[in-house]
Amino acid sequence: MASPAAGPLRAGIVLFTSDRGITPAAAAVAAEERGFRSFFVPEHTHIPVKREAAHPGTGDASLPDDRYTRTLDPWVALATAAAVTERIELSTAVALPVEHDPITLAKTIATLDHLSGGRVTLGTGFGWNTDELTDHGVPPQKRRTVLREYVEAMRELWTREEAAYDGEYVNFGPSWAWPKPVQSHIPVLVGAAGTEKTFRWIARTGDGWITTPTETDISARLPLLQKIWAEAGRAGRPRVVALDFKPDGERLASWAAEGVTDVLYGLPDRSPGDILAHLDRLQAKLEALQLF
């Protein structure tokens, strides 16, 4: 099928990966064939059985989906997708970089960008599951600072011939690290609640915002993001990726006018055949709204 024509919004797919159902490679191929512009996958290294952190959707220790405990490694998943696609953007919604070593993660992401021809975007979160972060040695109250240092350090490794970083949580001396990403700047998007604190982090360190599933009214928050972005001296406007559930022409037109750049639609936890049929229906709805 033909690639989608340029429109006011870019439509993408997020697959909550697991060790059952459609594979990331098959889902990415199907999404690309139907004109979707981006393919996102999530990350959880593990879910501690006993937790103090409440899930933001349920408000307690219960999980809304057992795929949280079955999530595939995002970078392996995206690598399999990269090998069988040509155009679709490869991203995470969201990855948790602070649960890895920043030097080796920088290598992983740079390698994926190199091999995919420059198609990688890092969608990251601060981590709602603070018990998970604790198991990785990350102080929950410092997780935003740790993430900032990780992003800054990885950017040094991605862009400098001799990279070095001296921070509180990341520290390494002058080093060589190749491959470099194909992109001169790998975009970093932050998936977190649309608060002033989040927006200030984005304006300082990131390139855009991914909305959370519980945020249904983002229109009132977008002017604050754009104001903070401009006050930080950032050019243009931030990228805004809105999680959507059912295409609605009036809402999508309003979002586009307000600064939303992308919409993401999640795939259900069903058989591969059902997934392909679901993508066909979604494609038809978006084409009818002239988004494709």
Side-chain angles (χ1 to χ4, degrees):
M1 296 185 183
S3 299
L9 291 173
R10 291 162 32 106
I13 291 298
V14 56
L15 172 67
F16 199 147
T17 59
S18 79
D19 56 353
R20 63 190 180 214
I22 195 167
T23 65
V29 167
E32 183 174 82
E33 289 176 344
R34 288 158 177 77
F36 289 94
R37 302 286 293 277
S38 55
F39 180 71
F40 286 67
V41 297
E43 177 174 32
H44 281 286
T45 57
H46 68 300
I47 300 293
V49 174
K50 294 183 178 180
R51 303 187 309 282
E52 294 182 3
H55 186 278
T58 64
D60 56 32
S62 63
L63 298 171
D65 193 311
D66 73 345
R67 287 180 289 182
Y68 280 90
T69 66
R70 311 180 74 94
T71 310
L72 303 184
D73 179 274
W75 305 110
V76 174
L78 290 178
T80 66
V84 292
T85 57
E86 297 179 353
R87 302 175 304 279
I88 201 163
E89 176 187 7
L90 306 169
S91 188
T92 46
V94 293
L96 300 165
V98 300
E99 297 185 349
H100 302 269
D101 176 88
I103 299 172
T104 55
L105 182 60
K107 170 76 76 174
T108 296
I109 296 173
T111 300
L112 181 59
D113 198 68
H114 171 73
L115 294 176
S116 68
R119 291 191 278 145
V120 174
T121 292
L122 173 57
T124 181
F126 302 123
W128 64 266
N129 193 343
T130 53
D131 303 277
E132 181 181 351
L133 297 179
T134 297
D135 284 351
H136 287 282
V138 179
Q141 71 277 12
K142 292 289 188 178
R143 61 191 186 274
R144 291 171 178 80
T145 300
V146 179
L147 180 59
R148 175 179 55 78
E149 290 195 4
Y150 268 55
V151 171
E152 291 174 350
M154 290 193 296
R155 281 178 172 159
E156 290 292 307
L157 290 161
W158 291 335
T159 60
R160 303 283 187 182
E161 184 169 340
E162 290 190 4
Y165 191 83
D166 184 13
E168 182 180 358
Y169 298 98
V170 183
N171 190 294
F172 56 88
S175 304
W176 294 318
W178 277 271
K180 302 300 183 187
V182 171
Q183 300 176 84
S184 60
H185 180 85
I186 289 184
V188 174
L189 310 177
V190 176
T195 64
E196 180 177 346
K197 188 174 184 179
T198 294
F199 293 160
R200 292 200 181 281
W201 197 101
I202 291 170
R204 175 180 176 178
T205 307
D207 300 292
W209 177 40
I210 304 174
T211 68
T212 64
T214 58
E215 291 174 298
T216 56
D217 181 14
I218 63 172
S219 297
R221 307 185 190 201
L222 293 173
L224 177 61
L225 171 60
Q226 292 156 5
K227 177 177 180 290
I228 291 173
W229 182 267
E231 289 174 348
R234 301 292 299 271
R237 284 191 170 191
R239 185 172 172 186
V240 177
V241 181
L243 300 183
D244 199 17
F245 298 95
K246 184 178 180 181
D248 177 89
E250 184 176 344
R251 181 178 63 251
L252 292 175
S254 177
W255 277 357
E258 293 162 353
V260 173
T261 57
D262 302 70
V263 285
L264 279 187
Y265 294 94
L267 297 181
D269 190 17
R270 296 177 185 165
S271 69
D274 287 344
I275 292 294
L276 298 181
H278 178 86
L279 284 170
D280 285 337
R281 292 191 295 271
L282 182 57
Q283 177 196 20
K285 291 178 182 177
L286 293 172
E287 285 182 338
L289 295 173
Q290 299 183 339
L291 187 59
F292 280 6

